Amino acid sequence: MHDPDPPFRPVLRRQGYLPLEDLGLIGDGTTAALVGLDGSIPWLCLPRFDAEPLFCALLDHTRGGHFTLAPEDLVEARQRYEPDTGVLVTELRSRTGLVRVTDALALRSGADLTDSAPADRSELVRSAVVLDGHVRLRAELEPRGGARTRALFSGLEVLPSRRPGLRLHLRSNRPLDGLHTTHDLRQGDRLDLVLSWGRVHRHHRVDTEAMLTGTAVAWRRWMRHFDYGGPQEPLVRRAAITLKLCDDWANGSLVAAPTSSLPAPIGGIRNWDYRYTWIRDAAFAVFALRRIGFRGEADAFLGWVLDAFEDSGRPRIMYDLRGGPVPDETEDGELEGYQRSAPVRWGNGAADQRQHDVYGEILDCADQWVRAGGEIQPALWAGLATLADAAEEAWREPDQGIWEVRSEGRVFTYSAGLCQVALDRAAQIGERLGLPIRTARWRASADHLRRLILEQSWDERANTLSAHLDGGGVLDASLLALPLRHVVPIDHPRMVATAAAVAERLSAGGGLLYRYLHEESPDGLAGDEGAFVLCSFWLVDNLIGQGRTEEAEELYASLCSRASPLGLMSEQIDPSTGEFMGNFPQAFSHIGIAASGVNLARARAGVRR
């Protein structure tokens, strides 16, 4: 549960790994790092989110590499964020003393985080202060594959063996004779470390206090735009910051998660690289960000989607952060995987899958762009019109669906629903802008497809819409998203019955939902998985739309209570233990926290969606 002032707790590991709940996220709009409750940094990709990791002990605790700043004889610890910032504080208690470590990926002094421009300094700041007693503080910087060093001005030049082109500089307020040092410190003493890359900082003075203060000020200035008065406000505030930490500020794109290959479940093979931008995340993210005050980020993401589509010449389900193709999927046989869950993967093999929902995702983004006052130039409109024409036929063909199954495709109801979205939004854009091209036909096709979905996917015996357009009563939690995308009315009797069926038959207990049941819907992969967090937030939204606000509030509170003490959420949750699974932190889950909170606040105020 999110706790701004958490108690100390023992540092526990499983097979050498911290649980995901014991990791915090810091970032600077170009990359992100995870900081452990034990004072380690087991994950940092440089210079960007999707680059090769410099530290990835997260995926192999002996060979992956880490940057640790912690006292010997560590007994217990706690973590918290400086309020309304991405600055993380870890307090670590040894047998002889207490030390506070403050971590941040530093931002430029005076940075305006609402601006679509880089704000990073290419510097990781780690500042340790002894609060009580005395400690022997270990400072260990160990890139994956090792590194050579040489003395350089106020620190060391670090040359990673695997990354000869990555120039690192480690500076300190105390002498460093190597990458593994121990410092005897007493109350009031401090050890400051700054790891720099990309730019030359060797002549800069080490002033971590100023860097941390400037970073915190920039974050708080950005948070002045936060506008939300609904339930779980502290957690929604943290969700907003977490989404910003997953955002590429210069490009406007958003990583699905800043990590790769965290398994769902432990020991399974469902280990994917999420450090890319999925188009389907766009509409959900834009909805959430715009409604909690961050219109600039919403518009930047919409613009990025339209640019990526126009530049690529064809709709892709995902892009890299610059709008280019995602690298081919490869397996890294050198790393054992988180808690020995191999394989570790880089790149994503789903990038070239056929997923028809992408038509609706792109056109929905275009519609939101126009609603926000954006312009559609003739060349872009021609591409969007072609996309709508394709959607008019594509829904009839099998695809891999929203969950990117790696089995033979089916005609998924959700995919057909998003083709309906494509037609509906194309018609809306054409009507709003006075663009007559095929508008009437798109409107008629959208209306026909809506009726067809309600009729053909309906299974009378099971009393539910089905995962596949040919019926059969097989369930998929993505059906809960149909009314959220305005494919079918949220209070339509068949949608109400479907929500009830999903809540009952896909229940993992405690308000959690599975995406689908693997025995009913084989996906081409071995093993089961955990409960998918976002699906439960979709159920919250459906309950709100049905007028069952008290039930929705109870479910929302239950889901929010599952956040880590730092207010972070993973992709999935193990329903038997409550432990986090999958890539972490997952943007989709934090989108759910914000979006469902907004919907509840509006329901309380009597405002219709």
Side-chain angles (χ1 to χ4, degrees), residues 451-468:
R451 291 191 298 271
L452 186 143
I453 287 168
L454 283 169
E455 293 168 3
Q456 287 198 6
S457 71
W458 178 254
D459 187 281
E460 190 68 37
R461 181 184 59 81
N463 196 39
T464 182
L465 300 174
S466 305
H468 309 120

Side-chain angles (χ1 to χ4, degrees), residues 306 359-372 374-377 380-385 387-388 421-440 442-443:
L306 297 180
Y359 301 112
E361 308 295 1
I362 292 173
L363 276 153
D364 190 50
C365 285
D367 181 54
Q368 293 192 59
W369 175 256
V370 172
R371 288 174 181 270
E375 295 185 7
I376 299 289
Q377 297 297 323
L380 176 57
W381 174 243
L384 294 172
L387 207 60
V421 168
L423 294 162
D424 177 80
R425 304 309 191 264
Q428 288 189 39
I429 295 170
E431 292 162 357
R432 191 176 300 110
L433 299 183
L435 303 171
I437 305 175
R438 303 187 285 282
T439 299
W442 291 331
R443 172 62 60 209

Side-chain angles (χ1 to χ4, degrees), residues 48-266:
R48 303 186 56 78
F49 288 103
D50 54 358
E52 179 179 338
L54 180 70
F55 309 126
C56 59
L58 183 69
L59 300 177
D60 193 312
H61 70 98
T62 59
R63 292 173 293 182
H66 61 96
F67 186 2
T68 297
L69 188 56
E72 294 181 350
D73 298 321
L74 179 60
V75 175
E76 58 183 6
R78 65 175 184 170
Q79 285 184 305
R80 60 178 175 81
Y81 282 104
E82 292 287 356
D84 279 352
T85 77
V87 178
L88 183 64
V89 175
T90 307
E91 294 182 355
L92 305 111
R93 194 189 306 278
S94 72
R95 299 182 188 280
T96 59
L98 175 65
V99 63
R100 180 182 66 215
V101 177
T102 304
D103 287 298
L105 282 163
L107 304 180
R108 288 184 289 102
S109 177
D112 180 0
L113 306 194
T114 64
D115 191 14
S116 297
D120 64 291
R121 293 173 51 109
S122 299
E123 292 180 294
L124 168 64
V125 181
R126 311 207 71 188
S127 178
V129 179
V130 179
L131 302 180
D132 185 56
H134 61 91
V135 299
R136 285 180 57 81
L137 194 65
R138 294 182 299 110
E140 300 177 357
L141 192 154
E142 189 173 316
R144 179 187 177 187
R148 295 182 294 108
T149 65
R150 69 183 179 98
L152 188 67
F153 296 93
S154 59
L156 299 172
E157 185 177 39
V158 183
L159 304 171
S161 300
R162 291 179 58 92
R163 306 285 301 280
L166 185 63
R167 185 178 182 184
L168 304 174
H169 187 206
L170 180 65
R171 293 173 291 147
S172 176
N173 66 329
R174 293 175 178 270
L176 298 174
D177 57 9
L179 297 181
H180 290 230
T181 56
T182 303
H183 305 264
D184 291 304
L185 304 178
R186 296 191 172 274
Q187 184 173 345
D189 290 345
R190 63 187 304 135
L191 173 64
D192 294 329
L193 297 169
V194 178
L195 179 66
S196 309
W197 57 93
R199 294 159 50 194
V200 176
H201 295 82
R202 60 189 181 183
H203 297 296
H204 291 194
R205 185 167 60 92
V206 176
D207 191 348
T208 56
E209 286 192 78
M211 295 167 71
L212 291 169
T213 298
T215 299
V217 168
W219 277 108
R220 290 182 176 126
R221 185 186 302 118
W222 179 75
M223 279 297 289
R224 292 175 190 162
H225 297 273
F226 181 80
D227 182 16
Y228 175 81
Q232 303 287 333
E233 181 179 340
L235 186 60
V236 176
R237 298 183 82 92
R238 182 48 51 188
I241 294 171
T242 304
L243 288 171
K244 186 68 172 175
L245 288 168
C246 292
D247 186 7
D248 184 305
W249 300 350
N251 290 304
S253 49
L254 180 84
V255 294
T259 53
S260 175
S261 302
L262 290 177
I266 302 299

Side-chain angles (χ1 to χ4, degrees), residues 8-59:
F8 283 89
R9 62 186 190 276
V11 177
L12 304 175
R13 296 179 181 83
R14 302 183 184 94
Q15 303 185 72
Y17 297 86
L18 292 173
L20 300 182
E21 298 91 320
D22 287 350
L23 296 168
L25 182 71
I26 58 175
D28 61 5
T30 60
T31 191
L34 292 177
V35 183
L37 187 66
D38 61 353
S40 71
I41 293 181
W43 182 261
L44 173 63
C45 299
L46 292 181
R48 303 186 56 78
F49 288 103
D50 54 358
E52 179 179 338
L54 180 70
F55 309 126
C56 59
L58 183 69
L59 300 177

Side-chain angles (χ1 to χ4, degrees), residues 251-559:
N251 290 304
S253 49
L254 180 84
V255 294
T259 53
S260 175
S261 302
L262 290 177
I266 302 299
I269 63 169
R270 298 169 184 269
N271 315 328
W272 315 115
D273 191 346
Y274 275 15
R275 300 171 301 151
Y276 308 107
T277 300
W278 272 251
I279 295 297
R280 74 169 57 96
D281 292 16
F284 289 109
V286 167
F287 174 90
L289 290 168
R290 191 181 297 283
R291 284 160 180 76
I292 58 175
F294 298 109
R295 288 175 172 80
E297 283 72 16
D299 288 346
F301 199 8
L302 288 174
W304 179 90
V305 169
L306 297 180
D307 285 343
F309 164 65
E310 192 169 16
D311 292 344
S312 65
R314 68 182 182 89
R316 298 179 184 271
I317 65 170
M318 70 178 89
Y319 297 83
D320 73 8
L321 297 170
R322 295 180 178 88
V326 170
D328 292 338
E329 186 172 292
T330 60
E331 295 185 4
D332 191 330
E334 295 182 5
L335 302 176
E336 71 173 13
Y338 179 74
Q339 294 194 42
R340 300 177 184 172
S341 301
V344 169
R345 293 185 172 97
W346 311 119
N348 199 300
D352 293 321
Q353 280 188 353
R354 174 182 290 189
Q355 297 179 26
H356 298 323
D357 67 308
V358 71
Y359 301 112
E361 308 295 1
I362 292 173
L363 276 153
D364 190 50
C365 285
D367 181 54
Q368 293 192 59
W369 175 256
V370 172
R371 288 174 181 270
E375 295 185 7
I376 299 289
Q377 297 297 323
L380 176 57
W381 174 243
L384 294 172
T386 301
L387 207 60
D389 289 342
E392 204 167 15
E393 301 297 329
W395 64 267
R396 296 178 171 87
E397 301 296 326
D399 73 344
Q400 265 54 54
I402 181 177
W403 306 130
E404 301 174 355
V405 300
R406 300 203 174 191
S407 58
E408 185 177 353
R410 295 286 302 272
V411 180
F412 287 96
T413 301
Y414 181 84
S415 296
L418 269 289
C419 287
Q420 191 277 339
V421 168
L423 294 162
D424 177 80
R425 304 309 191 264
Q428 288 189 39
I429 295 170
E431 292 162 357
R432 191 176 300 110
L433 299 183
L435 303 171
I437 305 175
R438 303 187 285 282
T439 299
R441 195 189 79 213
W442 291 331
R443 172 62 60 209
S445 294
D447 292 343
H448 169 73
L449 189 48
R450 176 183 289 110
R451 291 191 298 271
L452 186 143
I453 287 168
L454 283 169
E455 293 168 3
Q456 287 198 6
S457 71
W458 178 254
D459 187 281
E460 190 68 37
R461 181 184 59 81
N463 196 39
T464 182
L465 300 174
S466 305
H468 309 120
L469 206 55
D470 55 1
V474 173
L475 279 178
D476 188 313
S478 65
L479 296 168
L480 295 174
L482 294 178
L484 310 183
R485 311 306 296 274
H486 305 291
V487 176
V488 299
I490 200 165
D491 56 355
H492 190 287
R494 290 188 172 183
M495 190 62 235
V496 172
T498 299
V502 168
E504 178 184 355
R505 289 171 48 192
L506 297 185
S507 174
L512 299 174
L513 294 175
Y514 295 112
R515 294 188 291 182
Y516 46 86
L517 300 179
H518 290 253
E519 60 270 24
E520 292 183 358
S521 303
D523 58 13
L525 295 165
D528 290 326
E529 59 184 6
F532 202 84
V533 174
L534 181 62
C535 297
S536 291
F537 285 113
W538 287 345
L539 180 57
V540 170
D541 296 335
N542 275 261
L543 292 173
I544 295 167
Q546 295 171 22
R548 298 160 63 183
T549 306
E550 289 188 7
E551 293 175 64
E553 288 179 336
E554 290 177 5
L555 177 56
Y556 182 72
S558 172
L559 295 172

